[in-house]
Amino acid sequence: MGGMKFYKKTLRDVPLEGKTVLVRVDYNVPLTKDGKIDDDFRIRASLPTIRYLLKDGCKLVLVAHLGRPNGIDPTLSLEPAAQRLAELLGEPVRFVDKTIGEKVRMAVKRAPRRSVTVLENTRFNDGEKANNESFARQLAKDTGAHYFVQDAFGNVHREDASMAAITLFLPSVAGLLVEKEYTTIVGAMKHPKRPLVAMLGGAKVSDKIAVIERFVENADRILIGGAMANTILAYNGVAVGVSKVEKDQKDVLDALYKKAREKVGDENIDDFLVLPIDVAVGKSTEETTRKSVMLADIADDDMCLDIGDATADKFVDIVNHAKTVVWNGPLGLAEAKPFARGSEHVAAALAANHEIESIVGGGDTADFVIHWDKKNGSSFSHVSTGGGASLELMAGEKLPGIEHLLDA
């Protein structure tokens, strides 16, 4: 996997010793009802870059966004994230309740040479979402930064001011997380150890069609679960009761199956695009008991809420013969315990088999895996911090937050 070259400069390629460095991190973390951090996975993912820069004696200024505030919203302050970062780093982290302006200028000036300062939520400023150049210029000026380090992988598919416009005002390079995410994901798509198995779940075919098409080209097998499977089962004539089904996907799926048949031949299609052979059903998403039924036995008032037990065994068998597995999207309603079983079954197989390069897409899949895994996700080769970003990268799209960095 190490063979994948990154096409942009990273923090290793520029002279950062003792410099003031503006670092864009992804601290868009889930919060509990009372405003505590529910899961610090993204904060932990930023530590290698921060430690690398501190070792170089840098004065660090971190910026990030949290949630979708409308103007200033104290419940979406980054102060708790700054506190958690201080705990994880084991050293003081300063927090400034502004993103630009005099207060920021003074705080950064007073901060010691080797230090970390976190600024307030960038989205408290209208200029952030608008990719406003004067906001970005002000951010560069008030922090006195010499360089910009892009390490917010979860956000690189967005053209925000602290992702894109900022690169007009500071020499901009990738952090260690962005580099690792890119080389791992693109490496698996372009030069996988084979067989390459793609396991796709989640709610909608329409959200993932670009990725499914890409996997039809380069995967050896594609396993489909989640609510997405209902849509494809229904397309194939299975009566799926009152399950969630996307209505307007016929043309898309016609084209997809045509492409798949051209690749593997009509007789191998079901071996290549592997759909559930049984499903776990309930009467509503509130259901507390799990019942696995064969496809022919789905009742008119049933909802398919997970892959069935026989399907889970089949998926595990296929996964165990793979060398690379890319997993994007839970295989059932994983937030409901009875319907997390399919996802748990496959996660356990991946975690137990160290021969497999296992790459878990961000978003819901990463959340599921991190909460399931006693080792916080390190049972897998790579758990991505980016949902939309990892999907777009898998689909071969260009990501603005990476494109704008200096070329290697």
Side-chain angles (χ1 to χ4, degrees):
M1 275 308 300
M4 188 66 216
K5 271 292 193 240
F6 191 51
Y7 66 114
K8 292 293 185 179
K9 282 198 158 83
T10 74
L11 46 71
R12 289 199 276 291
D13 302 322
V14 287
L16 296 174
E17 298 79 14
K19 297 276 198 289
T20 299
V21 182
L22 179 64
V23 188
R24 179 57 158 93
V25 287
D26 175 9
Y27 287 176
N28 191 20
V29 292
L31 301 173
T32 58
K33 295 261 187 292
D34 57 351
K36 302 261 185 297
I37 290 171
D38 192 27
D39 171 4
D40 62 7
F41 173 57
R42 289 177 163 183
I43 303 177
R44 282 186 286 118
S46 71
L47 295 175
T49 289
I50 293 171
R51 290 194 175 118
Y52 181 98
L53 293 167
L54 286 174
K55 200 173 88 254
D56 257 354
C58 296
K59 183 188 282 202
L60 303 190
V61 185
L62 308 190
V63 284
H65 80 271
L66 175 58
R68 298 201 164 105
N70 231 331
I72 293 171
D73 177 350
T75 65
L76 293 173
S77 170
L78 279 175
E79 192 163 10
Q83 286 166 350
R84 178 62 61 93
L85 175 61
E87 288 162 22
L88 293 166
L89 267 182
E91 54 181 280
V93 169
R94 294 163 172 74
F95 174 73
V96 186
D97 62 3
K98 294 277 185 284
T99 315
I100 48 174
E102 180 64 19
K103 198 168 180 181
V104 171
R105 256 202 316 278
M106 293 315 296
V108 177
K109 217 183 207 125
R110 287 196 195 110
R113 211 186 88 159
R114 183 194 163 283
S115 63
V116 181
T117 302
V118 175
L119 304 184
E120 188 52 284
N121 193 338
T122 53
R123 287 194 181 167
F124 287 0
N125 305 75
D126 295 340
E128 169 73 334
K129 288 297 295 164
N131 195 22
N132 178 296
E133 284 183 20
S134 61
F135 171 62
R137 181 188 288 117
Q138 189 86 42
L139 184 58
K141 201 172 118 221
D142 293 344
T143 56
H146 303 106
Y147 284 93
F148 173 71
V149 171
Q150 172 57 276
D151 216 30
F153 178 74
N155 221 40
V156 289
H157 56 314
R158 301 185 194 284
E159 284 267 13
D160 293 352
S162 65
M163 304 293 298
I166 189 69
T167 61
L168 300 169
F169 305 103
L170 292 170
S172 303
V173 297
L176 300 175
L177 176 66
V178 160
E179 178 190 30
K180 178 176 162 232
E181 291 266 20
Y182 183 92
T183 53
T184 305
I185 292 169
V186 173
M189 297 302 288
K190 288 192 169 160
H191 318 285
K193 290 188 293 221
R194 291 192 179 277
L196 164 62
V197 171
M199 192 158 63
L200 301 171
K204 293 188 171 140
V205 173
S206 51
D207 289 347
K208 301 210 171 151
I209 192 62
V211 171
I212 306 173
E213 284 173 350
R214 187 92 188 276
F215 279 123
V216 167
E217 287 163 26
N218 68 359
D220 295 293
R221 299 181 88 172
I222 301 172
L223 313 182
I224 296 187
M228 181 198 284
N230 302 338
T231 298
I232 304 181
L233 287 169
Y235 164 84
N236 283 316
V238 176
V240 291
V242 290
S243 306
K244 244 198 194 146
V245 170
E246 283 180 280
K247 291 285 182 275
D248 47 358
Q249 296 300 303
K250 185 184 178 312
D251 294 351
V252 165
L253 291 171
D254 281 346
L256 190 75
Y257 267 89
K258 180 171 181 283
K259 202 169 172 181
R261 285 193 173 92
E262 281 162 11
K263 175 175 171 170
V264 300
D266 205 29
E267 63 289 355
N268 301 316
I269 194 77
D270 295 333
D271 244 3
F272 174 61
L273 277 179
V274 185
L275 291 167
I277 49 177
D278 66 341
V279 288
V281 296
K283 297 305 177 197
S284 79
T285 53
E286 308 301 302
E287 184 70 64
T288 52
T289 50
R290 177 188 178 89
K291 187 173 108 188
S292 266
V293 301
M294 298 312 284
L295 300 181
D297 300 328
I298 300 170
D300 292 344
D301 60 346
D302 274 340
M303 287 183 102
C304 307
L305 298 171
D306 191 12
I307 58 173
D309 300 347
T311 302
D313 289 340
K314 182 178 178 174
F315 281 14
V316 164
D317 186 52
I318 293 171
V319 158
N320 276 330
H321 290 92
K323 285 277 185 280
T324 308
V325 175
V326 180
W327 180 11
N328 205 300
L331 303 176
L333 188 69
E335 59 273 26
K337 196 75 188 117
F339 303 105
R341 194 189 297 175
S343 302
E344 286 171 355
H345 209 55
V346 180
L350 285 175
N353 188 333
H354 299 297
E355 300 296 296
I356 303 173
E357 166 103 25
S358 50
I359 296 169
V360 179
D364 294 343
T365 328
D367 289 346
F368 166 74
V369 155
I370 283 153
H371 287 114
W372 170 85
D373 183 15
K374 302 218 177 0
K375 296 192 208 154
N376 272 330
S378 58
S379 299
F380 305 87
S381 313
H382 182 74
V383 180
S384 180
T385 55
S390 65
L391 268 180
E392 290 188 23
L393 203 50
M394 285 173 192
E397 291 167 34
K398 295 213 179 302
L399 304 174
I402 296 179
E403 289 299 310
H404 293 302
L405 305 176
L406 295 171
D407 291 328

